[in-house]
Amino acid sequence: MVWLTGGGLVLATLMIAGLLLLVVFNGTLTFWPKKLTQITTHAGMKYLGEVSRSEAYQHDGKPAHRQLLRTANFDLFGDHFKWISRHDVARIDYPAEAWTVERQEWGLFVGFLKEVRIDGQPVSQTFAELHGPARQRFHQLKSMEKNEIGEVNRAIEELRLDLRRIELKRGKESPEYIRAVAETTKRETELQAEYAKLGAEVTRLRAEDARYTVVLAEVNGQTKEQKISEIVRAYPANHLNLLQQIGVYASRWWEFLTDEPREANTEGGVLPAIFGTVMMTLIMSLAVAPFGVVAALYLREYAKQGPLLSAVRIAVNNLAGVPSIVFGVFGLGFFCYVVGGGIDQMFFPEKLPTPTYGTGGIIWASLTLALLTVPVVIVATEEALAAVPGSMREGSYACGASKWQTIRRIVLPRAMPGVMTGLILAMARGAGEVAPLMITGVVKLAPELPVDGHAPFLHLSRSFMHLGFHIYDVGFQSPNSEAGKPMVYTTTLLLIGLIALLNLSAIYIRNRLKKRYVGAQF
Amino acid sequence: MPTLTEPPPPAASPRAYRRTTSPAVRLVDKFTTALITTGGLMVIVAVIGILVYLVSVVLPLFRGATLTAAGRYPLLTPDRVNQLWTLQLDEHQHRGFILDRQGKLAVFDVATGKILSDEPILPATPAITAFTRTLRGGYIGLGFADGTIRLGRIRFTDAGAEAVLEDPLTIGKKDVPVHRLDYKVSDRREVVTVLKADGELVWDEVTRRENILTGKITTKLAKHDLPYQPPAGHTNLPDYLLQNSQGDQVFLAWRDGTVQRYDLRTIDRPLIAETTDFTPEPGIELTNLQFMFGDQSLIAGDSAGSVTAWFRVHRPEAGTADQYRLVPAHKLEAHTGPITATDMSTRDKCFVTGSTTGDIWLRHMTSKRVLSRVTLEKSIRATHLTPKGDAIFALDSAGHAHRWAVHNPHPETTWQTIFGKVWYEGYDHPDYTWQSSSGNDDFEPKFSLIPLVFGTLKATVYSMLFAVPIALLAAIYTSQFLDKRLRMPIKSTVETMASLPSVVLGFIAALVLAPIVENRLLQVLATFLLIPVVVLLGGYLWQMLPRHVTLRWEGWPKFALLLAGVFVAVLVGRVISSPLEAWLFSGDFKAWLDGRVGTAIPGIATLAWPVCLAVVWYAQHKIITNRLNQTLAGRSRVVVGVIELGKLLAILAAATALAWITGMILTQFGMDPRGSLVGTYVQRNTLVVGFVMGFAVIPIIYTISEDALSSVPEQLKSASLGCGATQWQTAVRVIVPVAMSGIFSAIMIGLGRAVGETMIVVMAAGNTPLMDVNIFNGLRALSANIAVELPEAVKDGTLYRMLFLAAVSLFVMTFALNTVAEIIRQRFRKRAFQL
């Protein structure tokens, strides 16, 4: 029977270890360049692709084996994957000149580089020579579209809003409004001219860009001409040496951590999601720390202890066990609609009926999570405060210190490790929550980060991306979830890593602060 | 021993000590006291305010409608009021019209009652003998004394209202007056059914063809004769003729309540499907019969004031020609006088009824609620519910018009519709249903929280079945038997699991685990059963090792052996699953689950096995343990080990045999677990959810119950061991009972977490709101439902408030669970402290 209980423990540890290993293994392997396998079937069909996984299945009632080949080339085949049964396979090769091409659109291409063209004519320059400048052009174009043209659009939108503000304030017949209309029209024509100029520049760059192409051929010979600038990365998968493999691996990680997603989030990077997660957690801790500590100080130091207070204490403790989705519902109803709607009515009437604060946004999501985690901080702080010996307080009072002086100089510093631990645990919990965010402002693809170069720089009303929601979205909502699966693993790894980091730092800070104050005890 | 010396006197201070606190310090102190007190109180109030806010959003669901009088004026002469065909208002309540039996269309201003125009829309002859209108779109049909009908439309314009009528169409014999007609227009078809005075009953499908050159539209009727066979004793023609907009059901009704239903689903073979009586009590007459919006339910008002909703349900045993039958599904509260007027909402299942006693009630069919009532002095002649449902307009017998503004945001919800069974249109019987949206325009949302609560409980129960044993066993082992060196690393490993985001677990459940379980269902299940058995066997084998080896291997090696035991179980499961499937389940477990192959015996035997094992164990414990112990006393370790192992194997075999016999007996009595506890396999199912949610709950239960077990005072354990009890006896009879309330509170807190878990259920449970205990089927939990539907819900709509109600129920459930747990834990602490 003892062994049975041991079995329970082993099973529990085994499951955790298995899960972590699964995530770490798959997460770290995702970006390693895979070999391209060419399979020729008995029917004479050729397939080229990365072997994704294989499984046993029933074929005509007999056990059989098949492989899932990532044949990619979605624009040519209309499919990303192909199951190939082992009994169909006639030959397996690893063609040395096969390339894996990652593209900005349409996903992966696997096949052969036939020729490099400029203006439709084959040239002698290699792909590698042209790729660098082409990518530069691509980024330049993108930044022009985003920044300069975006700037003009923003200015036009601002003009419209200014006009609307005047209309709301003074009415349509007022002289101010009529004057403003004239002014606006003038400004708008100027901006339109600027817009046209920029547009022409973009068109010119595009035309320049379109001159450089590369002809790709898939394994059966079908070709596709592709702009070089739209190729993110290309490598001859089957004759990379170890160093080159590591290079591809590192460059993919770099892209993952610093770039924006593409292809419905299944490729590219997760920078906006990392940014959103971190930012939301920060705002949350800014909100939760003072309130949690103040509430705990009140409960422990100021309030009269009694049955009512213990009831309040139990209630606060139990809030930590209320499902996060309930807080999400509250956040949507109260923060987004009541508070946010109120703010819109008061400060942004010109934008209505388009809501500014009256819909999901990073500030509301953060506040919701703050509410969710405030009990954690209260409980931790209270425990830390209770652990400060009464003799120290009495000593302080005896020396003539006031209550606040005692708390500030004696109690709080000694309780600090506990407070910090509570706060960081709250952050760890907040960073991993997804359900309440789903209804208070997280989106699968946020067009803009909550921080940018335009006043007021911090846009708290914007919706944001989140690592946890990214997992849910890519794994479940994506049309091509098989291709997204490796991404999910990597994102999971990142999220677990982030949370582990927070937890570890909680432990570290606790230990350090403890050491600092343990020496100072009487 | 050094003696304490007096500390040296402090060096003489250049300044004198101040005896009073400086005002600045006092001010700061006062200020912070105020700040912290208000701040602290505010945080606490805010936190408790959450529930208050949630409830305040939910409450309007249960309020009825309010009517505010918005005007009354004389509109028509008393004679003309009795000559009305129809009364309509536009959606802005700006203009209204009435159409009377002489064919005069009077348009009036709704606010003042001023008649703006009063023109005939038809020539004086032939006389109008029948009239019908559609609920939506303003289509009308008129029947005339010369046997013709005219179809058309009355529409509101800027000036008032205009009638557009098509050319007359002759139906049946010329000059035989049209007795009744009904005209329906839907996206798919236009149908008109006509009853002539000579008893000719004709069903026509209207088709229109536009001449491309001239733009002239020609209307054609595809004619089908229906048999007219009035029930015995009915010599007069029926008083009501109704058809639905699909055109496949036609109803004839007489004033005495007799209703004849035609089934026209195959129009070439029209059937008189059934004849029934809407007013079974003698002497009661049918005074009003109209289709509810959606054309599925008939609202019948009678001379006794009763209002009943009838619709067609599938009843093969009723013996009707098409196996369907009309049932009085909803009997609504009765008026005191005969029903004289009804009007249906054009957006939901609300309607207004008026009676001779002057009562006007706004009702909702499905919830059977009377939402609001007003009483006038005179009998009601006509009622109208405006297109937006925001006003009621009524005419009394004196020709006076009355108007009320209606505020009716949530007519369909009552405690009964949310928590009770509701008979929705098209359902065979009252049921708990959650279906919040659909593509149809005339769809009725169905809000029963019961399937969702059921889903939550189902997921919780299955996950607790998995989590509680593992977590408790692990906690007992960690606190009582685990080598000290291993305790910290293992405990912190399990605790890290607590901070794993549930979205990760959900992803693992749905994308990794679900396919594995689907492909190797039986293997997974067999492994679950095998792990305890193999580990137990391992324990017996361990007993046979020489003592010095067991002592030396107490640490990591023992743990590694346990691990090996689990692996062996997995391996054995893999090896035996195929033969097991062939032998027990006719080679295909999923087909067996569907009920397509095999008998119920293996299923019952598997389910009964744990119970049988417990029974056999208990029996052997009572009967042979003592005797065996006496015989074995003094034998060597190995011999005892072998005999005990033999005993275990015998017990297992006996339990299996007993389970099989139980299976055979119960099968004889016709029991079959398929269709209830187990059944058809769905990929997103409760097994996977239970497994992964158990995963999420294990660390919580483990941590709290381990703490409780470890904090049992050491002297109790020492005393027990000192009295000669084994470690196991000490653990089970001393430690666990003392820590019981702590363990209980751990389970409660775990339960709370499982109830509210969202992402795992969203991702892995399939989100089907079914009431099915089958472990291989999906479910939809309250929390998942909120997460899935709230982003789409319109603010302050019924769905929005319903989801808030779901949140409130979750809040209350978990809050209650946690409070109970907390109280128990505090009591436990006190008790443990006293011991």
Side-chain angles (χ1 to χ4, degrees):
Chain A
M1 289 310 277
V2 177
W3 271 65
L4 198 63
T5 60
L9 180 63
V10 165
L11 207 60
T13 30
L14 201 66
M15 286 188 328
I16 308 157
L19 185 132
L20 289 179
L21 274 178
L22 179 82
V23 170
V24 171
F25 181 78
N26 281 306
T28 45
L29 275 192
T30 303
F31 292 141
W32 194 256
K34 279 189 187 153
K35 275 193 163 5
L36 289 175
T37 313
Q38 180 177 327
I39 296 178
T40 315
T41 61
H42 290 299
M45 287 297 288
K46 278 196 217 159
Y47 300 100
L48 181 71
E50 297 172 346
V51 175
S52 184
R53 61 193 162 93
S54 54
E55 64 168 37
Y57 76 112
Q58 297 278 321
H59 180 75
D60 292 341
K62 273 176 283 192
H65 207 82
R66 60 180 180 177
Q67 285 181 321
L68 188 62
L69 204 61
R70 183 170 186 191
T71 50
N73 309 1
F74 188 73
D75 40 348
L76 299 181
F77 301 160
D79 214 342
H80 289 280
F81 289 89
K82 173 96 189 148
W83 280 108
I84 297 172
S85 303
R86 184 170 286 175
H87 53 83
D88 284 335
V89 176
R91 238 172 79 104
I92 295 181
D93 309 283
Y94 298 94
E97 61 283 12
W99 281 61
T100 305
V101 180
E102 287 172 43
R103 299 177 293 178
Q104 204 70 35
E105 275 162 29
W106 295 109
L108 221 58
F109 189 97
V110 296
F112 306 93
L113 285 189
K114 264 183 85 177
E115 57 189 31
V116 178
R117 287 180 181 172
I118 296 179
D119 295 331
Q121 299 304 318
V123 290
S124 57
Q125 279 125 311
T126 62
F127 168 75
E129 282 166 9
L130 292 175
H131 187 228
R135 282 307 276 177
Q136 251 174 18
R137 266 198 308 279
F138 179 80
H139 287 301
Q140 191 190 346
L141 253 171
K142 217 171 137 190
S143 103
M144 269 188 77
E145 273 169 8
K146 202 177 161 186
N147 299 334
E148 290 162 31
I149 296 186
E151 197 75 44
V152 176
N153 280 334
R154 195 187 310 276
I156 293 177
E157 174 67 12
E158 220 131 81
L159 277 177
R160 191 186 70 77
L161 287 178
D162 283 342
L163 194 66
R164 174 100 177 110
R165 204 173 296 134
I166 293 170
E167 183 190 326
L168 282 176
K169 216 168 172 181
R170 312 262 173 193
K172 250 188 157 136
E173 270 77 48
S174 66
E176 285 95 341
Y177 179 74
I178 292 160
R179 210 174 319 130
V181 168
E183 228 166 83
T184 307
T185 327
K186 202 175 115 226
R187 264 302 277 145
E188 214 175 315
T189 24
E190 282 169 33
L191 286 169
Q192 292 289 1
E194 202 176 321
Y195 185 86
K197 216 171 79 193
L198 283 170
E201 175 68 11
V202 167
T203 319
R204 194 189 62 75
L205 266 176
R206 279 235 179 87
E208 167 71 12
D209 194 51
R211 291 174 56 215
Y212 301 90
T213 57
V214 59
V215 177
L216 303 170
E218 56 97 20
V219 65
N220 290 315
Q222 204 180 336
T223 59
K224 155 119 190 162
E225 194 167 345
Q226 178 82 39
K227 275 193 221 165
I228 292 183
S229 63
E230 285 181 354
I231 292 173
V232 177
R233 187 182 298 106
Y235 56 91
N238 291 344
H239 68 141
L240 288 177
N241 58 31
L242 185 67
L243 217 60
Q244 285 166 321
Q245 281 178 334
I246 292 174
V248 171
Y249 184 68
S251 110
R252 278 181 172 169
W253 264 107
W254 180 249
E255 187 196 355
F256 180 69
L257 293 177
T258 59
D259 219 338
E260 279 171 20
R262 53 194 158 81
E263 285 296 292
N265 290 355
T266 58
E267 282 174 32
V270 290
L271 180 69
I274 299 176
F275 193 88
T277 311
V278 170
M279 176 131 176
M280 186 210 69
T281 315
L282 278 183
I283 299 178
M284 181 200 86
S285 10
L286 282 184
V288 82
F291 287 117
V293 172
V294 163
L297 272 179
Y298 172 74
L299 281 177
R300 183 56 62 184
E301 304 284 335
Y302 285 87
K304 224 177 255 152
Q305 309 291 323
L308 182 69
L309 198 73
S310 10
V312 167
R313 197 166 281 146
I314 290 182
V316 170
N317 282 5
N318 290 350
L319 269 184
V322 168
S324 54
I325 188 82
V326 175
F327 287 95
V329 170
F330 175 78
L332 178 78
F334 188 73
F335 290 137
C336 298
Y337 290 150
V338 176
V339 182
I343 292 178
D344 277 0
Q345 292 283 338
M346 256 186 276
F347 300 105
F348 305 98
E350 73 274 7
K351 284 192 190 168
L352 286 174
T354 316
T356 314
Y357 276 90
T359 178
I362 190 162
I363 175 86
W364 304 137
S366 308
L367 287 184
T368 306
L369 285 191
L371 211 56
L372 171 74
T373 49
V374 90
V376 178
V377 177
I378 293 181
V379 171
T381 310
E382 255 209 277
E383 267 170 25
L385 289 175
V388 176
S391 58
M392 291 181 84
R393 288 192 188 85
E394 283 153 17
S396 171
Y397 290 141
C399 290
S402 72
K403 188 163 190 168
W404 172 242
Q405 282 173 327
T406 306
I407 290 172
R408 204 174 83 86
R409 305 271 170 82
I410 308 291
V411 179
L412 267 187
R414 265 137 203 95
M416 219 48 207
V419 177
M420 290 303 280
T421 315
L423 193 58
I424 295 176
L425 287 181
M427 283 167 80
R429 171 144 191 222
E433 278 295 349
V434 177
L437 304 183
M438 280 167 76
I439 45 184
T440 52
V442 94
V443 288
K444 51 164 73 182
L445 193 62
E448 289 163 301
L449 293 179
V451 171
D452 62 18
H454 297 280
F457 306 113
L458 193 63
H459 304 274
L460 291 178
S461 65
R462 284 190 187 158
S463 47
F464 64 108
M465 287 173 76
H466 184 270
L467 284 174
F469 186 72
H470 199 79
I471 295 174
Y472 171 70
D473 175 55
V474 178
F476 287 85
Q477 314 273 301
S478 154
N480 183 16
S481 66
E482 186 72 42
K485 220 157 128 183
M487 269 304 265
V488 180
Y489 276 116
T490 339
T491 317
T492 306
L493 185 64
L494 203 64
L495 183 62
I496 293 183
L498 192 75
I499 287 165
L501 197 74
L502 282 172
N503 277 322
L504 287 180
S505 56
I507 294 168
Y508 175 75
I509 288 178
R510 184 168 48 184
N511 289 344
R512 246 185 77 139
L513 288 176
K514 244 187 205 157
K515 229 177 270 162
R516 211 166 94 196
Y517 287 110
V518 157
Q521 241 163 24
F522 293 108
Chain B
M1 204 168 159
T3 50
L4 288 168
T5 50
E6 284 288 310
S13 161
R15 280 192 302 161
Y17 281 114
R18 257 206 331 237
R19 299 276 168 190
T20 51
T21 316
S22 86
V25 169
R26 248 195 256 174
L27 195 70
V28 168
D29 204 50
K30 263 193 188 152
F31 175 70
T32 48
T33 305
L35 188 79
I36 289 180
T37 310
T38 46
L41 281 175
M42 265 171 62
V43 170
I44 292 160
V45 167
V47 153
I48 290 161
I50 294 177
L51 184 64
V52 176
Y53 175 74
L54 291 179
V55 170
S56 77
V57 174
V58 169
L59 277 183
L61 277 181
F62 304 106
R63 294 202 192 113
T66 46
L67 297 188
T68 0
R72 56 180 298 171
Y73 41 76
L75 184 69
L76 301 174
T77 59
D79 298 344
R80 200 167 176 196
V81 163
N82 291 325
Q83 297 283 312
L84 277 190
W85 283 128
T86 183
L87 159 71
Q88 301 273 296
L89 262 57
D90 71 5
E91 59 174 9
H92 309 295
Q93 296 174 50
H94 181 53
R95 296 281 181 263
F97 69 79
I98 55 128
L99 182 68
D100 66 16
R101 286 172 189 256
Q102 278 71 48
K104 274 174 86 178
L105 182 74
V107 180
F108 60 95
D109 183 87
V110 174
T112 60
K114 195 179 153 215
I115 305 273
L116 302 172
S117 66
D118 197 0
E119 303 291 328
I121 55 169
L122 292 162
T125 52
I128 308 173
T129 51
F131 172 81
T132 181
R133 71 168 177 99
T134 59
L135 203 53
R136 274 179 162 189
Y139 296 95
I140 56 167
L142 293 158
F144 297 93
D146 65 349
T148 58
I149 63 163
R150 293 181 78 170
L151 304 178
R153 203 169 177 185
I154 306 183
R155 264 190 299 194
F156 285 99
T157 59
D158 295 338
E162 70 169 353
V164 182
L165 290 175
E166 292 172 11
D167 293 338
L169 299 162
T170 309
I171 305 273
K173 285 198 199 87
K174 227 169 155 0
D175 292 328
V176 176
V178 172
H179 179 64
R180 292 285 183 268
L181 87 165
D182 199 11
Y183 173 46
K184 284 283 156 72
V185 182
S186 69
D187 318 338
R188 272 165 293 164
R189 64 199 320 194
E190 249 183 272
V191 279
V192 55
T193 304
V194 181
L195 178 67
K196 303 285 294 281
D198 59 355
E200 189 180 5
L201 185 60
V202 189
W203 182 94
D204 306 272
E205 175 143 22
V206 185
T207 47
R208 291 166 207 281
R209 190 166 298 148
E210 186 178 350
N211 187 324
I212 301 169
L213 292 177
T214 59
K216 193 172 151 52
I217 297 170
T218 46
T219 306
K220 255 181 76 178
L221 296 180
K223 215 180 115 182
H224 297 269
D225 287 312
L226 305 184
Y228 177 68
Q229 292 158 8
H234 292 77
T235 47
N236 55 335
L237 287 166
D239 300 282
Y240 304 93
L241 164 68
L242 293 166
Q243 68 169 357
N244 65 351
S245 50
Q246 282 89 34
D248 59 4
Q249 303 287 322
V250 168
F251 299 85
L252 297 181
W254 284 261
R255 280 196 80 83
D256 65 350
T258 310
V259 173
Q260 212 172 36
R261 181 168 65 85
Y262 287 75
D263 180 79
L264 310 179
R265 280 174 299 172
T266 41
I267 188 61
D268 302 324
R269 278 191 294 110
L271 276 178
I272 298 180
E274 64 173 313
T275 307
T276 185
D277 192 354
F278 274 18
T279 53
E281 287 124 83
I284 309 260
E285 288 199 328
L286 194 62
T287 55
N288 212 299
L289 188 67
Q290 237 177 303
F291 263 118
M292 175 46 84
F293 170 60
D295 279 1
Q296 286 203 44
S297 308
L298 286 165
I299 302 291
D302 64 28
S303 56
S306 324
V307 177
T308 313
W310 293 73
F311 52 74
R312 200 171 58 110
V313 295
H314 192 61
R315 285 279 184 278
E317 71 279 2
T320 53
D322 63 348
Q323 303 201 328
Y324 283 87
R325 194 180 171 81
L326 284 169
V327 289
H330 301 287
K331 289 200 163 87
L332 288 91
E333 199 182 327
H335 278 286
T336 43
I339 307 295
T340 48
T342 56
D343 193 38
M344 306 300 160
S345 160
T346 53
R347 42 202 286 138
D348 52 24
K349 306 290 179 192
C350 285
F351 63 104
V352 223
T353 53
S355 73
T356 50
T357 49
D359 291 317
I360 295 178
W361 290 0
L362 176 63
R363 307 162 178 263
H364 187 264
M365 178 185 82
T366 319
S367 67
K368 303 186 200 179
R369 246 169 134 184
V370 177
L371 295 157
S372 202
R373 28 189 126 197
V374 283
T375 308
L376 301 177
E377 306 86 57
K378 299 245 165 45
S379 163
I380 309 299
R381 278 287 167 270
T383 54
H384 178 57
L385 194 57
T386 53
K388 281 185 173 169
D390 51 1
I392 293 176
F393 193 84
L395 289 173
D396 64 19
S397 55
H400 285 259
H402 304 259
R403 184 161 66 103
W404 295 269
V406 176
H407 180 70
N408 182 23
H410 312 290
E412 65 271 60
T413 46
T414 58
W415 284 110
Q416 166 63 24
T417 59
I418 295 172
F419 295 107
K421 287 191 172 181
V422 180
W423 202 343
Y424 288 105
E425 287 176 338
Y427 283 61
D428 290 342
H429 47 79
D431 209 348
Y432 303 109
T433 320
W434 174 276
Q435 194 189 1
S436 59
S437 61
S438 153
N440 284 354
D441 204 19
D442 54 3
F443 165 76
E444 182 179 15
K446 300 167 184 71
F447 297 120
S448 170
L449 281 187
I450 298 295
L452 308 180
V453 173
F454 179 86
T456 296
L457 292 181
K458 181 178 169 190
T460 309
V461 165
Y462 281 118
S463 63
M464 292 308 268
L465 276 182
F466 175 73
V468 170
I470 292 185
L472 289 189
L473 291 177
I476 291 173
Y477 191 78
T478 316
S479 69
Q480 300 303 317
F481 306 112
L482 190 63
D483 195 74
K484 292 272 187 301
R485 283 162 295 173
L486 288 177
R487 201 170 285 177
M488 267 326 282
I490 285 183
K491 209 181 157 197
S492 45
T493 315
V494 178
E495 279 168 3
T496 47
M497 205 157 88
S499 61
L500 266 183
S502 62
V503 67
V504 173
L505 291 175
F507 153 67
I508 299 282
L511 290 189
V512 182
L513 223 53
I516 294 180
V517 173
E518 187 176 22
N519 288 340
R520 305 166 176 225
L521 183 55
L522 200 63
Q523 184 184 332
V524 171
L525 293 178
T527 309
F528 272 125
L529 282 179
L530 279 169
I531 286 176
V533 174
V534 171
V535 172
L536 260 184
L537 285 175
Y540 280 95
L541 291 175
W542 174 265
Q543 286 293 311
M544 283 187 246
L545 287 175
R547 180 140 255 163
H548 63 273
V549 180
T550 56
L551 280 177
R552 190 141 41 90
W553 285 3
E554 194 56 36
W556 281 108
K558 189 173 176 188
F559 197 70
L561 276 178
L562 276 166
L563 262 176
V566 173
F567 279 117
V568 166
V570 173
L571 258 176
V572 172
R574 193 182 168 125
V575 172
I576 66 162
S577 65
S578 254
L580 207 64
E581 190 165 7
W583 180 50
L584 289 179
F585 302 107
S586 318
D588 192 344
F589 185 48
K590 281 183 199 148
W592 180 83
L593 283 178
D594 290 345
R596 282 181 280 141
V597 295
T599 64
I601 301 174
I604 297 177
T606 318
L607 291 173
W609 194 76
V611 182
C612 292
L613 185 63
V615 169
V616 173
W617 197 282
Y618 183 75
Q620 67 87 20
H621 187 77
K622 280 276 156 204
I623 299 164
I624 54 173
T625 303
N626 271 334
R627 282 179 219 165
L628 198 67
N629 283 354
Q630 278 160 16
T631 358
L632 288 180
R635 301 289 177 87
S636 79
R637 238 173 111 75
V638 178
V639 174
V640 176
V642 171
I643 293 176
E644 286 283 330
L645 183 62
K647 193 177 92 180
L648 175 72
L649 291 175
I651 289 170
L652 288 178
T656 314
L658 186 63
W660 194 262
I661 293 167
T662 317
M664 278 165 67
I665 294 169
L666 289 181
T667 311
Q668 284 303 311
F669 287 111
M671 262 185 66
D672 194 339
R674 290 174 288 184
S676 61
L677 273 178
V678 297
T680 305
Y681 188 85
V682 181
Q683 202 208 5
R684 300 270 161 96
N685 62 56
T686 318
L687 182 68
V688 177
V689 171
F691 182 70
V692 175
M693 207 142 97
F695 210 106
V697 181
I698 283 174
I700 296 167
I701 302 182
Y702 171 83
T703 314
I704 300 175
S705 52
E706 209 272 342
D707 284 346
L709 287 164
S710 304
S711 61
V712 171
E714 194 63 23
Q715 66 265 29
L716 289 179
K717 192 174 173 184
S718 313
S720 168
L721 291 175
C723 290
T726 60
Q727 275 204 328
W728 174 248
Q729 284 168 332
T730 309
V732 172
R733 304 215 183 137
V734 178
I735 311 282
V736 172
V738 173
M740 204 56 206
S741 50
I743 292 174
F744 183 71
S745 93
I747 293 175
M748 297 290 271
I749 290 173
L751 205 66
R753 164 105 199 244
V755 165
E757 182 50 62
T758 309
M759 289 317 286
I760 295 174
V761 243
V762 167
M763 291 163 102
N767 289 329
T768 41
L770 300 172
M771 304 255 291
D772 181 3
V773 286
N774 176 8
I775 186 171
F776 300 115
N777 205 340
L779 56 93
R780 174 181 281 211
L782 280 171
S783 53
N785 190 58
I786 296 173
V788 170
E789 297 199 358
L790 193 53
E792 314 292 324
V794 183
K795 182 178 180 262
D796 291 343
T798 307
L799 176 60
Y800 179 83
R801 293 190 196 277
M802 277 308 298
L803 294 174
F804 269 69
L805 180 62
V808 169
S809 8
L810 271 180
F811 187 105
V812 171
M813 268 157 99
T814 47
F815 202 84
L817 277 176
N818 284 329
T819 308
V820 171
E822 184 68 26
I823 290 169
I824 289 173
R825 193 161 58 163
Q826 284 193 351
R827 189 179 291 172
F828 162 72
R829 255 194 215 146
K830 224 178 267 170
R831 207 172 69 172
F833 198 68
Q834 284 162 352
L835 278 168

